[in-house]
Amino acid sequence: MEAATAISEDRADVAWEILTHLSAMPNRKGNSEQKLMDYMLSALKSRVSPIDNPPPVAELFTEEHVSSAQSLYELSPCFEAGFMAANRAILGATSEQPSTNKLHVIDFDIGLEGQYRGLLYELSRRQASNQSTLKITALADSFNGKERLRMVRKRLSELTAVFRVRLVFNVASQKLSELSRDSLGCESDEVLAVNLAFKLYRMPDESVSVENPRDELLWRVKGLGPQVVTLVEQEMNGNTEPFKVRVGDALAYYGALLQSIQFGYGIAESERVRVEKGLSRKLGNSVACEGRERVERSEVFGKWRARMEMAGFELKPPGRHVVQSMMAALSAWSPAHTMKEENGGVCFGWRG
């Protein structure tokens, strides 16, 4: 934090002296604290001297990084719980329209296909005499290519025989300005849900671009008239807060995440290494980069809520049964994983 303070005060020589001193200290990179220190040292060095220590930018768009993010979603109960909570909200919307057995989910970033394995299971468990239909429209972009989404479709299709739910999986590639109910195949007799899980934090907002794709996407989604929109994001100041605040939040957030992964049981070492490399890239980009080069720009819940409200959405707190079922699921993973209701949202964490 002293180095971050020096950087924010334009005292690069002082910051570099501190970083050089810290780099000389023995660091075996064995436990989560040592790994966090190593990642932050690299990030701050990139901030002070980006030519000699290039920060990760293009690396965040590689297949390797996509793979590390997928592994993180599957290995961290906090991420998995977030996807489960989104499912509960989507299923709640279907319960409010019992006259139809058709559910259409528009997903702008299928980060964890397991979310839809869970949704298929729940729909099969709830369906009566009429077979349920789950239509998924997945939007392809630079992070999720059409070929990857086709593989997701193939794997989910193999489950339909088991769950006896009809699956319709469409891959769309459209500009924001082209999004409409017609272009996305929305029908009047289906429950329409939009899943915004870990999508918005990778989109520039008004602080980066006059086009403001982050708000434009929300306005376009509002225009689709969905019954429910689910937002799942990381709770961290990574956007417009001052540099020192971002560094402090990154230390707290990634420190908790690395520690929770270290205490995870049954995780193959290769998977753990893949996830940790991905986290080092994410932290490095968040701390070292500015402008368009800062690909990931997380916010805290209050700011996400304000942005959603400005786009015309109304907050719908999760029902009591949803909260109780999620608490039971999270405690089964580990008593160190925590959950709390906060201002209408559900927050998952590690030791609070």
Side-chain angles (χ1 to χ4, degrees):
M1 288 308 298
E2 288 180 16
T5 300
I7 292 170
S8 66
E9 295 173 352
D10 292 326
R11 295 184 294 141
D13 55 336
V14 175
W16 193 256
E17 184 180 343
I18 295 170
L19 296 174
T20 301
H21 172 70
L22 290 172
S23 298
M25 295 173 62
N27 185 6
R28 294 186 299 275
K29 303 180 186 178
N31 61 36
S32 60
E33 288 186 358
Q34 291 167 334
K35 289 173 182 175
L36 176 65
M37 178 177 172
D38 183 57
Y39 299 165
M40 186 58 79
L41 278 174
S42 295
L44 292 173
K45 285 179 178 179
S46 293
R47 178 79 184 201
V48 176
S49 181
I51 295 177
D52 295 327
N53 304 275
V57 180
E59 293 91 331
L60 270 68
F61 296 92
T62 62
E63 184 61 36
E64 181 183 357
H65 191 70
V66 173
S67 176
S68 72
Q70 180 82 22
S71 294
L72 173 63
Y73 296 157
E74 292 174 345
L75 297 182
S76 170
C78 285
F79 285 86
E80 190 165 346
F83 288 114
M84 286 177 62
N87 278 356
R88 297 288 197 280
I90 292 169
L91 290 166
T94 64
S95 300
E96 293 172 2
Q97 288 189 249
S99 59
T100 180
N101 61 344
K102 296 180 179 179
L103 170 61
H104 184 182
V105 182
I106 298 173
D107 198 313
F108 286 87
D109 186 357
I110 295 187
L112 183 66
E113 65 190 67
Q115 175 180 2
Y116 291 102
R117 289 197 295 268
L119 198 55
L120 283 167
Y121 168 74
E122 290 294 337
L123 287 172
S124 71
R125 197 169 62 88
R126 296 183 181 202
Q127 68 186 354
S129 55
N130 292 335
Q131 185 184 38
S132 296
T133 297
L134 173 61
K135 182 198 294 182
I136 301 171
T137 299
L139 276 294
D141 58 17
S142 58
F143 200 58
N144 292 287
K146 289 184 178 180
E147 186 56 39
R148 178 173 178 269
L149 293 175
R150 289 191 188 101
M151 292 303 295
V152 172
R153 175 173 58 192
K154 180 177 182 295
R155 288 191 290 268
L156 289 178
S157 297
E158 293 169 354
L159 294 174
T160 55
V162 178
F163 293 130
R164 301 189 307 281
V165 174
R166 181 171 177 260
L167 175 69
V168 179
F169 193 109
N170 300 319
V171 177
S173 180
Q174 297 178 353
K175 298 177 181 178
L176 287 181
S177 59
E178 298 172 344
L179 292 179
S180 68
R181 289 183 63 92
D182 288 340
S183 69
L184 295 172
C186 301
E187 301 174 20
S188 59
D189 63 341
E190 60 190 16
V191 174
L192 181 62
V194 175
N195 189 41
L196 293 175
F198 307 112
K199 172 64 178 180
L200 292 178
Y201 84 114
R202 290 179 62 92
M203 299 188 74
D205 67 357
E206 67 280 359
S207 67
V208 183
S209 164
V210 293
E211 288 84 13
N212 192 356
R214 186 176 285 190
D215 278 351
E216 184 183 355
L217 176 60
L218 290 177
W219 295 328
R220 296 287 177 182
V221 167
K222 186 69 172 69
L224 298 175
Q227 275 76 18
V228 63
V229 177
T230 51
L231 178 72
V232 188
E233 284 289 352
Q234 298 160 103
E235 180 89 358
M236 179 172 55
N237 279 305
N239 190 15
T240 57
E241 291 295 325
F243 179 69
K244 278 202 301 181
V245 175
R246 292 192 352 242
V247 171
D249 265 33
L251 280 168
Y253 180 83
Y254 287 105
L257 196 50
L258 283 165
Q259 192 179 82
S260 71
I261 292 171
Q262 182 179 356
F263 279 84
Y265 297 105
I267 300 176
E269 188 61 24
S270 58
E271 286 288 291
R272 196 193 309 271
V273 169
R274 180 183 296 116
V275 169
E276 290 172 348
K277 285 183 177 178
L279 292 178
S280 71
R281 289 189 289 268
K282 289 162 73 71
L283 186 152
N285 185 262
S286 178
V287 169
C289 297
E290 294 294 347
R292 289 185 177 275
E293 287 198 334
R294 179 140 43 95
V295 178
E296 302 193 348
R297 293 173 165 270
S298 297
E299 295 277 21
V300 293
F301 173 61
K303 291 190 175 181
W304 286 123
R305 183 178 58 184
R307 194 175 290 274
M308 297 286 284
E309 288 174 348
M310 285 190 292
F313 295 102
E314 295 180 6
L315 179 67
K316 184 174 183 180
R320 191 72 231 154
H321 68 287
V322 172
V323 174
Q324 290 174 345
S325 66
M326 292 304 305
M327 283 184 171
L330 204 60
S331 62
W333 273 311
S334 164
H337 284 95
T338 53
M339 172 181 160
K340 64 178 179 179
E341 293 179 82
E342 190 175 273
N343 301 319
V346 182
C347 303
F348 306 101
W350 172 258
R351 301 189 188 279

